[in-house]
Amino acid sequence: MRMAALGVALTALLSHYRRHPGQLAMLLLGLWVASALWSGVQAINASARDSYARAESLFSAQLDRIERRDGQPVGLDAYLDLRLTGQPVSPVLEGRITLSDGSRLDVTGIDPLTLPLDSGFRTAGGDQSLTQFLQPPYLTRVAPETHARLWPSDESTPTADNGTPLPPPQVASELPPDLLIMDIAAAQALLGRSGPSHLLVAPDTEVALPEGLRRTQAVNLAAPGQLTDSFHLNLTAMGLLALVVGLLIVHAALSLTLEQRLGLLRTLRALGVSGRALVGLLVGELLLLGLLGGGLGLLSGVWLAKWLLPDVAASLDALYDARVGQALALPGYYWLGGLAVTFGGVITAGFGTLWRAARLDVLSLGRAQAWRGQFQRQLKRMAIAGTLAWLVALGLWGWLSQLPPAEGLALGFTMIAALLLGSALWLPPLLACVASGVERALRHRPLAQWASADLQLQLPRLSVAMMALLLALSANLGVGSMVGGFRLTFLDWLDQRLVADVYLSVPDRDTGEDLAEWLVAQPEVAALLPRSRAETTLNAAKGQIPSREVAVYGITPHPSLTAHWPLKAQLDTPETAWDAFTAGDALINEQLALASGLAPGDRLELASPTGPIERRIAAVYPDYGNPRGEVTLTQADVSQRFRTAPDSFGIILAEGSAATGVDTLRERINQRFGLGRDSVIDQRDLKTQATTLFERTFAITRALTVLTLGVAGLALLTSLLAQTAQRRAQLAPLWAIGVARRPLVATGLFQLGGAACVTALLAVPLGIALAGCLVAIINVAAFGWRLPLHVFPGQIAATLGLALGAALLAALWPAWRLWRTSPRELLTEFDTQ
Amino acid sequence: MTSTFRRLRWLALGAGLLLLIALATWQLAPPPHERSSESFAGLGEAAGDYAQARPGTPLAFPADHGPHPDYRIEWWYLTANLEDEAGTPLGIQWTLFRQALAPPGARSDEPTDAPWASRQLWMAHAALSTPQQHLVGERFARGMSLPERRAQAGVTVSPFTAWLDHWQLESLAGESEDAFDHLRVSAQAEDAGQSFGYRLELEAEGPLVRHGDDGFSQKSADGQGSLYYSQPFFQVSGEIEIDGETRPVTGQAWLDREWSSQLLGANQHGWDWFSLHLDDGTKLMAFRLRGGGQSSDDPSGHYVSGSWITPEGELTALDGDMLHLEPLERREVAGRQVPTRWQLTVPERGLDIEVTARQAERWMDTAFPYWEGDVSVTGSHPGQGYLEMTGY
């Protein structure tokens, strides 16, 4: 066929949208929304990955790390002693500064003269000489986005809150954001500390270390990319859900436009357009729509990502210590991938349409609404497919319960997807069933019976919108109860865990001893709970668990602590567990228990500077928000075996002095010991900070679910709008036989409200099941801790109300249109038929 | 400008190397021929506010064995021709370079509470040459002013010690002797996965010698120069080690001390420097600065100079009219054409010798690369020694 003829045919096809601009708008809207949410999430992930890649290529991630076992800074003497015996270690001074504008930044001071030459430092760019780097006023190497934020103009000189200006900037695009790299001399002035905080050494170099130092191999340093995988998978799953819901709208709209163009298609076929050419034209149309909607979606996605990114970045920083830029970094694959996903979605959503167009029977002109006859068969197929999806979900559930809990993240999401899909597929048969049941039950109420029968006729098209509503509602319920449950549990846990009124971090051993002595003598101090930390290796037990790096935490089992500190699993009662702990047993956190399979009663072996130590596990404790495995021993035990001094004190204030005691104590400690203002931490501040962090983390999830629900409401509205004209033809006879417009409108609202109610009722158990999966599988795999399942009736009621409201709101516009339809128009319906 | 600008001589490595490592991208320097307009290692920079090396500056010991922080560059440069019990010729190099990053007055040299802030950089090279191998190590450090303990690198006068990390040159001399009369040098390093090291004792059999005009060694017709003295009379004994295998060795060593603030002239792009132990006990130092000229009227030629040192330690300065240096043969080393056989003549003394590199492959692939290796001497005055060539 010639191009001109094809062009005419395409124009004829597209002319449909000129007559029905609403359908075009609905199609584009569906595509736009689906691709916006999806690409927004992907933009966040891509930016984060970019930041991680930069962090991982940084020299510090490629070199082995040498630290003191007690976590204190390594210090100048230890560094020089190593150098003078020929050990090729390089000093690093790390810390965090607060700028005078209140923003906090990481500072890494390095010594380029001793840094191993093959390390990534060289690759981290820069075009100025080493001399400038090493000499006043020094240089600050920063990522471009951080540079733009801190040095908005050439004249700006950001200043740390101790009054020291930052050295002049040098942009290095390979650096992760919010990190300032400078010479160790400059970092020392900025941070007010002199000795290195840790040392670096090339991975293949042997180093003889004194006992107090330990080396962590670069490969064992937790890479932010690995830690945060689960977080990003969660985001991706949310984005995927939004994409599916959006594509459901597209599917509904496409089915409608095809159906209304069946006559046109037949005419075109009869005029000699080949079936293949026709399908080709329809594909072209879809691609055009995909390009337009996808393009719009990508742009809005970027906007959405910009809006969400600060929260995401703050969460990742606080949860995993992973720095993510506040500015989007979008690689080329992001744009291409976004468009590809949209195209893929459009083609998938339009596949049914294309299939029917390809098999179009030129002669069957009489059955304009051809697909409705097939609906019964389609319902059966849906029921079968839905059952299959459920079976898959059930099978996965069975498999997951066999797997170690930490490994089921992707499978868990697959299971949830199967569960949701199965339920969505079951919705139309269920609705049909309910409608026909109601129809039989209301035999003696003709209008109601008609309404039920009519609803069954509407189902083929409504069902897709209802499926979207079901998915959105259950996701909303599931995520809502997970977030709500977490908040309850987490707040309790914080209360129990933060026993002391004040926490005081100790700069060094001597100050620590002086402080302890002084504090005990203070009248407002009721008890002093020293804490220590160390890093070590959990040795492999005979073939049972692999060796892993763990944190060792030393606490003081004072009654005020043991009475509250939450335990999750213990052999006997918490009291006996604490007795055993005081007598030398260990506690492990839930993350370690889940990852290693260790349980109370088992024995574990830790490497220590005084030789391997074996301990029985007395109990497991919840440790929300900690990505790492941790073993807790008594502080005295940790100090003795790991040769560390307390690094902080929990201070319990005497009755009655808690309210004013904190501030006066802080004042006096600062006066006497001159510790920085960050050393004394009020427990209340700590709680606020922790709560804010988690609120932020979940704000993202909730924002996404609310947006998804919005998409579903939109789907419903567009489906209804699309069939308004058609509905008129079916309502006209009723009107003609004497049913007034008011009951007609009310009937329509009831029909839709009823369908929405059934959908919402199905969404409740599905939402609870989803919440169950989230807390029992996804969270455990993603974060390493399990939450109790909480169900919030109030929240469920609110969601049901929201669904009903959305449905009625969506029905209102068509109802209003019907209300406004003049009798003359209704009469013309008979003319056209 | 030209008249106030200078050139300098050999040695130098130290200095600007660092500046250049720095180079823009923290990458290795591009091959010198790509930067032929620059002097080697940036040694042609103006002295600025640094102290100037001038004729008539008296040398005083032991103070001058120590560092001169007000000068831009300085080095303690030791080379030794050794042989093991089987008579295998071996060579070692031990060098400590000091480079000031800022002129005096810009920063305090006094100990402060900011130990990392310093205007001095240190660099050390250690090399061990066998007929089969050339093993090279390199280390860097910043100067640190620590009142109570040894820093990562530095030089102390009393007792004399020069060190960077565990590479060390220390005096074993008694109180009545000069610090350089009896030294011990040690280094331990790794090159391409192979460990090597040496531990040698050096016994001086002659006095310190002052080059040029009583220690002022002129480097160009413009009058620029350095302060330069040597101890060329060391007898060596000790041991070397390769991959854990030690061998006792004996031989001769030569220690150079030099400091200056003004380096190569704009037209000088490298040098060839010889320190030779002749079999009759004579020591010969000779260098050729390429480009820059013998006189200010002839900037295109080479600036040639040297010292004739009798076994008793009497030094006669040689200028370009008395001393002639000619490359006889070039070999490709590390992608460059490097002269590995030379003719040296001092007609006045009846000296006509050929100096040949024992091995061509003595390339120092350090941050700033150069050629440094042991040589054998044939002709009127046979012997052995060391040759250093830069800027190829």
Side-chain angles (χ1 to χ4, degrees), chain A residues 728-729 731-737 823-833:
Chain A
R728 211 161 57 197
L731 294 174
L734 258 78
W735 172 79
I737 58 176
R824 202 169 60 79
E825 274 175 69
L826 286 174
L827 277 174
T828 54
E829 290 293 335
F830 294 101
D831 275 358
T832 52
Q833 282 183 7

Side-chain angles (χ1 to χ4, degrees), chain B residues 76-383:
Chain B
W76 293 255
Y77 209 124
L78 181 78
T79 54
N81 296 89
L82 306 170
E83 59 179 33
D84 61 10
E85 285 167 331
T88 316
L90 303 160
I92 66 107
Q93 178 199 345
W94 187 100
T95 314
L96 181 65
F97 302 94
R98 181 192 59 78
Q99 154 97 27
L101 290 176
R107 302 281 300 280
S108 165
D109 291 316
E110 292 304 304
T112 64
D113 58 350
W116 302 99
S118 167
R119 65 180 182 90
Q120 304 290 348
L121 290 190
W122 297 86
M123 176 176 75
H125 287 175
L128 172 57
S129 307
T130 71
Q132 295 80 31
Q133 282 181 300
H134 185 59
L135 299 165
V136 179
E138 180 180 33
R139 285 186 173 239
F140 300 95
R142 70 178 70 213
M144 296 174 96
S145 319
L146 300 171
E148 284 169 12
R149 63 159 297 152
R150 182 180 270 209
Q152 194 196 337
V155 176
T156 56
V157 173
S158 185
F160 172 81
T161 314
W163 77 96
L164 194 158
D165 292 343
H166 58 316
W167 295 0
Q168 185 162 297
L169 178 67
E170 60 184 319
S171 174
L172 304 176
E175 298 219 339
S176 58
E177 298 171 291
D178 181 77
F180 283 8
D181 282 353
H182 192 183
L183 293 172
R184 177 162 61 207
V185 65
S186 60
Q188 181 73 39
E190 203 167 280
D191 187 0
Q194 216 172 357
S195 76
F196 71 95
Y198 45 78
R199 191 177 170 84
L200 307 170
E201 289 204 9
L202 304 106
E203 203 75 54
E205 297 189 335
L208 298 173
V209 294
R210 302 167 194 212
H211 297 283
D213 175 9
D214 204 23
F216 175 76
S217 169
Q218 190 174 332
K219 293 299 185 290
S220 81
D222 302 331
Q224 311 306 321
S226 66
L227 293 162
Y228 180 17
Y229 69 93
S230 302
Q231 171 48 272
F233 295 109
F234 284 121
Q235 286 300 317
V236 184
S237 65
E239 58 182 30
I240 61 152
E241 177 251 301
I242 298 177
D243 268 344
E245 205 179 302
T246 57
R247 285 190 249 177
V249 291
T250 53
Q252 297 170 292
W254 181 308
L255 175 65
D256 270 332
R257 283 280 294 119
E258 185 157 16
W259 60 97
S260 177
S261 293
Q262 290 195 335
L263 308 169
L264 299 179
N267 295 322
Q268 293 177 319
H269 44 80
W271 62 84
D272 310 298
W273 171 85
F274 300 81
S275 60
L276 305 177
H277 304 277
L278 304 179
D279 287 351
D280 65 2
T282 304
K283 311 288 177 184
L284 179 64
M285 187 279 289
F287 64 82
R288 180 181 85 155
L289 289 157
R290 299 196 301 281
Q294 192 72 20
S295 73
S296 48
D297 307 329
D298 172 26
S300 63
H302 305 312
Y303 186 84
V304 175
S305 176
S307 297
W308 182 275
I309 305 159
T310 67
E312 294 71 39
E314 283 157 22
L315 183 144
T316 312
L318 305 171
D319 64 18
D321 297 331
M322 302 151 84
L323 169 68
H324 303 283
L325 299 174
E326 277 310 321
L328 298 176
E329 183 190 342
R330 287 172 189 266
R331 293 275 297 278
E332 183 168 315
V333 180
R336 297 139 164 108
Q337 290 294 320
V338 179
T340 52
R341 199 156 62 84
W342 292 75
Q343 183 172 40
L344 261 72
T345 52
V346 183
E348 203 174 275
R349 303 272 176 176
L351 178 117
D352 184 352
I353 52 175
E354 260 187 44
V355 176
T356 313
R358 286 215 165 99
Q359 301 293 327
E361 300 294 334
R362 295 293 189 233
W363 192 252
M364 301 288 289
D365 191 16
T366 40
F368 205 89
Y370 60 105
W371 193 102
E372 169 101 33
D374 42 340
V375 293
S376 60
V377 181
T378 54
S380 64
H381 293 68

